[in-house]
Amino acid sequence: QISQHTKPTITNLLLLPPMTHLKKKQRLEKNHNHNHFDDLHDDLIISILRKLASSASSPSDFLTVLSTCKRLNRLGLHPLVLSKAGTQTLAVTAEKWSDSSHKFLKLCVNAGNIDASYSLGMIRFYCLQNPVSGASLMAKAAIKSHAPALYSLSVIQFNGSGGSKTDKNLRAGVALCARSAYLGHVDALRELGHCLQDGYGVPRDVSEGRRLLIQANARELACSLRSYLSLKSGDEVLTDLSVVPVQEIHPVNRFLKEWFSSGRVDLAEGLRMCSHGGCGRPETRAHEFRRCSVCEKVNYCSRGCQALDWRAKHKIECTPLDLWIAVPAEIGVDGEAVAVEIDDNHGER
């Protein structure tokens, strides 16, 4: 070592060992091996995962991140994260349904996610044949003003689903439907319009019923126009009206449709599916749904599904126009064929 009193000449400095260079290299290696992710606070990661859970386009987009490391897996299953899981994050498919999928939805339900309560309730009610638990979960979501859950419960009340014909409660169905329509559910608004127009479970008011039907059609048209205007190529709006998107099907309705159409579960003898392609509901007892009184080839869980299917395809597939003249009383005021309810003794009402 050089004494403090020694003059720091160039010769003396060259005699010093290269300690400064070695220490710098050690510091760089230490920083290179350091994981900065460990320095992030849990609250920050939970906030990021909440954003991801609410905006993910599919369950795999969210679950793939959780499989990255143990810490992300632990924080990703935090109730604060699962409570914000969006509809697409919860959109499990019938093909990939498993005990793990069921457990994931239950974790979301326990975290207070109302979309998960609705989805799991529909799956349990119609697919897993557990109507008590399914209706309870849907009611849990309906209490928190979940419009699709309110509408689904109204359909159950109108049909007496999960029970006998005597379990129908038309007044309760109308009340649930009205609440869902007030929250902006278009199908519920259309169903309520038909109830008022026909006097079904509520005093008949044709003018008010027609007003609600026009309002439902206007909202549906506005939604289609917004989707249409979003399809732009540069600054030019597409002019092909055939590309205007149809009403988006809720993931749980798609799940029901895939569950029964895939052959994974066979419906009991005599039971039928709702003929509207965007519904997916099956009958829970024979002759629960209404059938078209003109062709008698299709059946619907609700007047709302009937009106949508009529515009989509059934008006072309139904009995030809020359035969309609013979049954003018069975054609609805909006042009669609009236669906007639069939009771358990094969009689029409």
Side-chain angles (χ1 to χ4, degrees), residues 50 60 88 110 126 147 178 182 208 212 230 243 248 253 256 275 301 310 315 341 344:
R50 278 163 60 94
S60 60
Q88 298 302 324
N110 295 334
Y126 290 106
Y182 175 78
E208 180 65 11
L212 293 181
S230 66
V243 301
E248 185 178 358
N253 293 103
L256 297 181
S275 296
C301 67
W310 174 262
K315 64 182 177 181
E341 184 178 358
D344 296 333

Side-chain angles (χ1 to χ4, degrees), residues 123-290:
I123 293 171
R124 284 185 177 178
F125 190 94
Y126 290 106
C127 301
L128 305 183
Q129 298 180 356
N130 191 343
V132 176
S133 176
S136 177
L137 286 172
M138 283 188 274
K140 186 176 181 180
I143 290 174
K144 297 183 179 180
S145 299
H146 190 269
L150 286 162
Y151 176 65
S152 293
L153 288 174
S154 72
V155 172
I156 290 173
Q157 293 293 336
F158 284 137
N159 295 325
S161 303
S164 64
K165 189 179 180 68
T166 58
D167 292 326
K168 291 183 178 182
N169 190 333
L170 303 185
R171 293 185 63 183
V174 170
L176 290 165
C177 197
R179 176 60 179 165
S180 180
Y182 175 78
L183 294 172
H185 197 280
V186 177
D187 291 342
L189 185 63
R190 181 177 288 107
E191 186 75 26
L192 183 61
H194 282 295
C195 288
L196 287 168
Q197 190 171 252
D198 302 338
Y200 192 71
V202 68
R204 188 175 185 183
D205 190 337
V206 177
S207 60
E208 180 65 11
R210 288 184 175 179
R211 186 187 71 82
L212 293 181
L213 290 175
I214 293 173
Q215 186 177 354
N217 293 336
R219 289 188 181 182
E220 190 175 51
L221 177 60
C223 182
S224 297
L225 287 176
R226 282 195 297 268
S227 300
Y228 170 69
L229 293 175
S230 66
L231 297 175
K232 296 182 178 181
S233 178
D235 295 330
E236 296 182 1
V237 179
L238 297 177
T239 58
D240 185 4
L241 295 179
S242 63
V243 301
V244 176
V246 297
Q247 184 177 0
E248 185 178 358
I249 302 175
H250 193 281
V252 76
N253 293 103
R254 188 179 299 111
F255 182 98
L256 297 181
K257 185 178 179 181
E258 294 174 355
W259 181 272
F260 293 103
S261 63
S262 63
R264 182 170 185 170
V265 175
D266 294 328
L267 287 175
E269 185 178 357
L271 300 185
R272 304 161 299 177
M273 298 285 295
C274 179
S275 296
H276 174 42
C279 178
R281 290 181 178 85
E283 288 182 321
T284 60
R285 68 172 189 280
H287 309 294
E288 176 183 338
F289 293 165
R290 305 176 183 186

Side-chain angles (χ1 to χ4, degrees), residues 103-120:
K103 182 179 179 181
F104 174 69
L105 288 179
K106 286 195 293 186
L107 288 174
C108 294
V109 170
N110 295 334
N113 191 307
I114 59 175
D115 282 330
S117 295
Y118 168 63
S119 297
L120 185 57

